[in-house]
Amino acid sequence: MIKLVFLLDSRENLKQSDEVELELFNIIFDKEFQEGHLFVKEEQIVLDAFYLEDSLEPFLKNDEVIRLLKKDGSKALPITLQDEEIISTKKLPSVDDFSKIFDMGIAVQYSDEE
C-alpha cells in the first residue's frame, strides 16, 4: 500500500503550484488512476489532503512536521508524507518524485501551442 498525506496551506495557494506538479497531484486523486495502479501494480493507494485553512489538527500528528512548521512557518508548506516520513517540502512532489513513489515511469508532454 502507498499512503501519501499532503499538508497544504490553502486551496488558493495550491492553485499557484507548478503547473505540471499540480496536474500530477490532481491525477493521483482520480479514481481511474488509483484503480489502474491497483490493477497493474497490485498496490492500493491511500491519499489524504489537509489544508491549514481548515484545521491545524492534522498538522500536529507528526513531530517532524511540527518542527518544520515551528522553524519555517507556513513557508514549509506544502509538505508531503509517505508512510509518516516527509518526502517533500515547500512544493508538491515532482515528476521524478511521483515516478519513484509509484515505481513507474511518468512522461510529461508539452505542447508548443499557447
Side-chain angles (χ1 to χ4, degrees), residues 16-30:
Q16 297 169 13
S17 297
D18 176 84
E19 186 178 339
V20 173
E21 292 168 0
L22 182 58
E23 184 65 25
L24 286 170
F25 174 81
N26 289 325
I27 286 170
I28 67 167
F29 276 90
D30 183 79

Side-chain angles (χ1 to χ4, degrees), residues 52-95:
L52 190 58
E53 66 186 2
D54 293 339
S55 173
L56 186 59
E57 186 178 336
F59 295 75
L60 302 176
K61 293 182 178 182
N62 182 298
D63 290 338
E64 200 58 24
V65 170
I66 293 169
R67 187 190 65 73
L68 272 174
L69 291 174
K70 283 182 179 179
K71 179 182 170 219
D72 296 333
S74 64
K75 292 178 186 173
L77 301 174
I79 297 172
T80 305
L81 303 165
Q82 181 176 2
D83 300 321
E84 302 297 320
E85 180 182 328
I86 295 174
I87 60 168
S88 178
T89 64
K90 300 181 181 177
K91 64 178 186 64
L92 293 173
S94 67
V95 173

